[in-house]
Every structure is written in C-alpha cells, then in structure tokens.
Amino acid sequence: MKRIVIVGASAAGLTAAETLRRRGWGGHLTLIGEESRPPYDRPPLSKQILTGAWEPERATLRSLQDLARLEADLRFGQRAAALDVPGRRVRLGNGESIGFDGLITATGVAPRRLPDSDLAGVHVLRTLDDARDLHAALLTGPRVVVVGAGFLGTEVAAAARTMNLKVTLVEPEPVPVRRPFGDRIGTLVAELHRDHGTSLRCGVPVTRLRSAGGRVTGVELGDGTTLSADVVVLALGSTPSTGWLAGSGLRLGDGVLCDALCQAAPGIYAAGDVASWHNPHFGTRMRLEHRMNATEQAMAAAGNLLGDAIPFAPVPYFWTDQYDTRIQAYGIFPPAADVRIVHGDPVDGYFAAIYGHHGRVVGVLGWNTPRQLRTLRRFVVERASWTAFTATPTPHHGRRQLPPNGHGLSRPRSAKARSGRPSHIADCVSAAACTSPRRSTQEGPC
C-alpha cells in the first residue's frame, strides 16, 4: 500500500495520520480538511472558548512543526466532493483528483438547523469560528434562548449563565439529556440548571423563529407562547457528513455503515462521528459523537487498514461539564435500562449509578465521582451480571434504587449548597425558582 488518503482533519483524521506514521508506514499520506486552520479540539468550544476562559489558539491540537513531522500532503481548506471507489480516487471541490490505495473517511457531522433560521443572531456551534462568533455575541449581554437540551445545549446554557446572562433552555422532550441518560438523570440535570438560574421550557416544541429586519427577535413555541431573544443557539443534534459519498456505492445510513473492523469497503474505513459500526462488545450497531471515540476509533481504523483485522469493541466514554458539576459515563444507556445508585446520594451533590439491561451491567454514570466511576467501569467491561451485582447491599455506598419515573429524586446540591460558600454562578432569579418543582405550569415536566 503506497498511498493513503484521509478525508477529515479534525481529531479522528489527525489521530489516524499519526497512527499510520507511528506504526512505521512510510508511504504517501494525504490529509484533507475542509477548514483552513490546523486541527483543533472541539470539547472546549462549548465551554472554555465560549466563555472566554481560553484564547481560541489554546484549542489547537498540534503545532505546525508537529504537523510537518507527519511528512504528509496537508490539504487544509479543501473539500472532498466525490469518491470514485472502483477508480480509487477522491475528487476535491476544486476539481482536482487524488488517487489512493487506502482511504479513511473522518468527515464528522454537521449541525441541524430550523427552517428559515438564516438570521442575524441565530447561531450553531460546531467550528472554532462558530464559537468565536457566539462568544462575541454573548459579550453584548443578550437575552439567550438555547433550543435543544442535549449535551451541547445544556453546556451552552451553563456557559451563558456563567456570564450572568438571562438564559432559557427549550427542549421538546420532558427533561434534558433524555436520549443519553433517560428521565431519571434528566430530572437531576433540569434541577441543576434551575438551581443556577436557567429558565427551562421542556415538553414543548419550537414552532418557528420570529424576526424583524433579518434579525431574530424571538422563539415561538408549540403552546402559543413566544420567548423574546436577542441570541438563539440551535443545539438540535447533527447529521453525518456523507454528502460527498452519494453515488459512491458505499452503504450510507446513519453515517457510513461499516463492519466490526470499521471497514466500509475493501481498503476503505471510517472513524469518528461519521462512522456507524457494529460493536461486538454490546452486540449492536452504534455511531458515537464522543471525543474519546474519535481518537480510539481512528487508531483502530488505521491499524485495520494496515492489516490488524481486530474488531473495534470499545466501552464508550464521554463526559459533560456544567456549572460545578462533571457528569462522566462509560458504556451504553438503553431507554429501558434499570438504574441503581451504588455510591453517594444526589442530595450531597455526588453519586455513581449503574445501568442494567437484559441481565447485564451495560453502563455506569458518575456525578462528581471520577474515582468511583473508574472502579465501576470494569463491571461494564466484564459484562457483569446485573442480578449478582445488585443482590448484596454495599454497606459503605448507600445504594438505593432510583424511582422508575425520576420523580421523588433528591436534587443534587450545588457547590454553594454543599460548602456554604457562594458558587461562581449567579443565584437563582428567586428563591421560589430554586425550590419549586416547576416554576410555572408552562415550563413543562422538567
């Protein structure tokens, strides 16, 4: 194999390139990236970069000197437009065609938008330029509405609150982060945001954006109310960036469909957010938009391209930082999973929980408990029996079963409540907003 082309120059693409060189492959390497800047890390975009705690350059993954040591043909600022599988060529947007013997696609995802959302004041957050633009907008002291309460939306809302802005978080599901963690943990995340002064409107969809003179003025909801807004952040999830592969013959669905080796076709592999593959550890197909998976899958794809033939069977790891809380998780979290707290208690602001599905431990979650979570991870790795693990009480862990619908959960206390000292977030708008299960009947279940 003399020529390898990597399409996508973010974390996954960069890692694949470095893995090939580290493994001793010395052929002609081409790294194609649509953005003109060198590869950078994305998790800080919704946190440190957005709040201004970091300068944007701090997110850069490798210096120009590091990139030069790859001895690769770096095609930053160029877009892959089409793939010719039989001819083994990648066609660029400028018409140039690049041949390959092996290919790794790591093109990531693109943010979803609402119809008619091309308005001043409406933002998405995927790139460093997006983060810089949104940061500049937040510095003007606007009223902020975040549409979508997944990881990205809740992180953006938390960041905006640290800047003492008026923030409303809108989510059509009953609670935030319901898809990854379910109603139980979603209820706690909702309370975390309320405790820090964020207004929540859950269980209600967005009908449309209101505007005047080409600038957004508000968000109209399905219940007929309108939220006034100067800045609207759309955090509606993402779609895999596979448009350039249309007509290539590769199987496309929710991403590039691959086997357990991350192979989409002979000599063609996928890695990172765009890759949908069969994970043999859990016996299911998955596509992950997690930072650690981008690195691990890129290493696996590069190794398999070189002939390793090792199935990629990771236990996924992901995390989110919001206010004074870090939520970390290993594994998968099916909607019908049983959940049990095995360490700590939400009322104390820290706990660890395990998730069981079909008789096995499939996931563990930690709320400000990194050390305990690392210990619990092995039960997911070993596919421990749910019954055996939960049958005998653990004297020092204060284990208790979470209610099936999330109601009756003790609210996790913030740093302010735990220590008696003010947190770095402004107090809630009113005491009633912090203590009432719902601030109004219009806010919805969360």
Side-chain angles (χ1 to χ4, degrees):
M1 189 177 298
K2 297 181 179 179
R3 303 169 301 170
I4 293 178
V5 172
I6 300 172
V7 182
S10 192
L14 175 63
T15 300
E18 291 179 333
T19 300
L20 292 170
R21 292 308 194 208
R22 188 168 57 248
R23 293 283 299 270
W25 183 77
H28 188 272
L29 178 62
T30 303
L31 181 60
I32 302 169
E34 190 167 354
E35 294 186 65
S36 58
R37 66 178 76 253
Y40 56 87
D41 215 6
R42 296 191 190 275
L45 300 186
S46 57
K47 298 180 269 290
Q48 296 94 337
I49 302 297
L50 190 56
T51 62
W54 286 13
E55 291 297 322
E57 292 72 23
R58 188 170 172 180
T60 302
L61 287 170
R62 299 291 183 270
S63 67
L64 294 178
Q65 292 79 7
D66 292 331
L67 293 173
R69 282 192 282 272
L70 287 174
E71 297 183 348
D73 181 10
L74 303 178
R75 300 296 190 96
F76 298 154
Q78 299 191 35
R79 178 179 59 87
L83 175 64
D84 177 3
V85 173
R88 313 304 267 183
R89 304 196 72 81
V90 174
R91 181 169 60 82
L92 303 182
N94 61 8
E96 184 181 357
S97 180
I98 301 175
F100 66 87
D101 303 307
L103 173 74
I104 298 175
T105 176
T107 47
V109 295
R112 293 192 182 99
R113 303 187 66 107
L114 291 173
D116 303 317
S117 60
D118 189 15
L119 300 167
V122 176
H123 296 259
V124 295
L125 184 53
R126 174 63 184 173
T127 69
L128 188 56
D129 287 340
D130 291 338
R132 296 176 72 166
D133 291 345
L134 180 54
H135 171 68
L138 295 181
L139 290 178
T140 65
R143 298 164 297 179
V144 180
V145 174
V146 181
V147 181
F151 289 137
L152 179 61
T154 51
E155 287 181 357
V156 169
R161 281 298 298 139
T162 67
M163 300 173 73
N164 293 319
L165 299 175
K166 180 180 179 181
V167 180
T168 302
L169 184 59
V170 180
E171 170 57 47
E173 296 285 350
V175 293
V177 297
R178 189 188 194 196
R179 181 173 296 179
F181 293 140
D183 290 339
R184 304 164 177 89
I185 301 301
T187 298
L188 298 178
V189 172
E191 296 299 345
L192 174 68
H193 279 267
R194 281 207 188 88
D195 285 349
H196 288 87
T198 300
S199 174
L200 278 79
R201 296 296 307 276
C202 295
V204 58
V206 170
T207 303
R208 66 187 177 112
L209 301 181
R210 289 187 173 274
S211 63
R215 172 169 287 278
V216 71
T217 59
V219 178
E220 185 177 304
L221 304 182
D223 61 5
T225 60
T226 297
L227 304 173
S228 298
D230 306 301
V231 167
V232 173
V233 183
L234 302 180
L236 301 168
S238 306
T239 56
S241 297
T242 58
W244 73 286
L245 297 172
S248 67
L250 296 185
R251 292 190 306 142
L252 305 176
D254 180 29
V256 179
L257 303 184
C258 303
D259 61 16
L261 303 179
C262 306
Q263 182 176 242
I268 299 177
Y269 292 76
D273 298 358
V274 77
S276 171
W277 90 105
H278 180 80
N279 185 331
H281 183 81
F282 296 99
T284 188
R285 177 169 291 279
M286 58 179 60
R287 185 180 66 81
L288 301 177
E289 298 180 21
H290 304 326
R291 176 63 177 86
M292 287 302 297
N293 183 71
T295 297
E296 294 173 351
Q297 193 167 29
M299 295 171 66
N304 287 335
L305 178 59
L306 295 179
D308 288 351
I310 300 173
F312 181 55
V315 170
Y317 168 72
F318 52 102
W319 78 94
T320 178
D321 294 323
Q322 301 179 29
Y323 308 112
D324 53 1
T325 296
R326 167 164 280 200
I327 305 170
Q328 298 166 282
Y330 291 100
I332 61 174
F333 303 85
D338 295 314
V339 188
R340 186 181 291 264
I341 290 180
V342 295
H343 176 84
D345 195 301
V347 73
D348 295 320
Y350 67 92
F351 66 92
I354 59 171
Y355 285 65
H357 192 58
H358 294 324
R360 298 290 176 184
V361 176
V362 296
V364 293
L365 177 143
W367 186 294
N368 290 329
T369 53
R371 183 172 61 84
Q372 289 77 13
L373 194 68
R374 286 192 295 270
T375 300
L376 291 171
R377 177 183 180 272
R378 70 180 179 89
F379 295 106
V380 184
V381 174
E382 297 169 358
R383 302 184 71 249
S385 166
W386 175 257
T387 302
F389 186 73
T390 59
T392 305
T394 305
H396 303 294
H397 283 182
R399 176 191 307 155
R400 65 187 182 91
Q401 182 75 39
L402 287 173
N405 61 1
H407 298 304
L409 286 172
S410 299
R411 177 181 308 167
R413 292 191 294 173
S414 66
K416 175 183 176 181
R418 294 195 303 271
S419 67
R421 299 187 299 272
S423 71
H424 62 288
I425 311 296
D427 287 339
C428 294
V429 176
S430 68
C434 291
T435 57
S436 173
R438 299 185 193 174
R439 275 185 277 177
S440 76
T441 56
Q442 293 182 338
E443 264 191 271
C446 74

